[in-house]
């Protein structure tokens, strides 16, 4: 059990990742060996756009996968079909008055759903998704919904 901000949470799973090297260049891996990646700095940040990935890409894939899972969970509960749906997360790193910051665009496509139904499902998924809950009031997250 974990207690944070007055809430008790039953831990279902804990992921453990380690970064080594020079921060944004080096390697990253999980303790179970399922993920091992090279890290590199993209050209837009002054890097050489080497063969590796970067924290923003890893966050984008994680957020997209988590949000898609939440969307499917909401759809099951609402008895709606999200067959063929996809979630693309665009994670942007920028600078502002108080340093570096992130913003996210979640682009959600639900073929076959009318726009109102799709928007309702996406908003409910945004309330349920652990990544959305963690980022709420911390970074700007924009939802773009594409139904039929």
């Amino acid at each position: 059990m974990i207690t944070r901000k007055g809430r008790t949470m039953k831990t279902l799973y804990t992921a453990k990742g380690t970064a080594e090297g020079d921060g944004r260049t080096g390697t990253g891996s999980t303790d179970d060996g399922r993920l091992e990646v090279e890290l590199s700095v993209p050209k837009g940040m002054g890097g050489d756009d080497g063969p590796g990935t970067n924290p923003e890409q890893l966050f984008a894939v994680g957020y997209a996968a988590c949000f898609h899972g939440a969307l499917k969970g909401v759809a099951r509960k609402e008895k709606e079909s999200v067959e063929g749906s996809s979630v693309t997360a665009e994670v942007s790193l920028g600078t502002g008055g108080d340093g570096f910051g992130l913003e996210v665009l979640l682009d959600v496509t639900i073929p076959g759903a009318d726009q109102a139904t799709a928007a309702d499902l996406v908003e409910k998924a945004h309330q349920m998704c652990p990544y959305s809950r963690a980022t709420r009031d911390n970074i700007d997250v924009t939802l773009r919904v594409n139904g039929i």
Side-chain angles (χ1 to χ4, degrees):
M1 295 283 208
I2 298 172
T3 302
R4 290 192 180 121
K5 294 184 179 182
R7 292 188 337 240
T8 301
M9 178 177 85
K10 178 183 173 191
T11 302
L12 301 175
Y13 172 74
T14 300
K16 185 176 180 181
T18 302
E20 298 178 311
D22 295 325
R24 286 186 166 267
T25 59
T27 60
S29 62
T30 55
D31 65 329
D32 62 5
R34 291 181 178 207
L35 178 66
E36 293 184 24
V37 295
E38 281 186 64
L39 301 171
S40 62
V41 179
K43 282 185 182 179
M45 292 177 58
D48 63 2
D49 215 19
T53 188
N54 60 64
E56 292 73 34
Q57 289 175 323
L58 294 169
F59 184 64
V61 170
Y63 200 163
C66 188
F67 196 91
H68 201 208
L71 177 66
K72 289 183 173 233
V74 166
R76 274 191 303 277
K77 183 178 177 185
E78 300 284 321
K79 298 187 183 347
E80 295 286 347
S81 174
V82 291
E83 184 70 31
S85 62
S86 66
V87 177
T88 300
E90 295 180 17
V91 175
S92 299
L93 175 70
T95 59
D98 58 351
F100 291 99
L102 295 174
E103 63 183 29
V104 175
L105 167 66
L106 292 175
D107 191 358
V108 184
T109 301
I110 307 173
D114 64 76
Q115 191 65 24
T117 300
D120 182 58
L121 293 172
V122 167
E123 183 54 42
K124 287 176 179 172
H126 191 45
Q127 297 307 310
M128 172 192 242
C129 174
Y131 274 59
S132 290
R133 293 175 69 155
T135 60
R136 191 164 290 120
D137 300 323
N138 293 312
I139 65 174
D140 289 335
V141 176
T142 301
L143 304 174
R144 182 166 47 203
V145 182
N146 307 295
I148 45 175

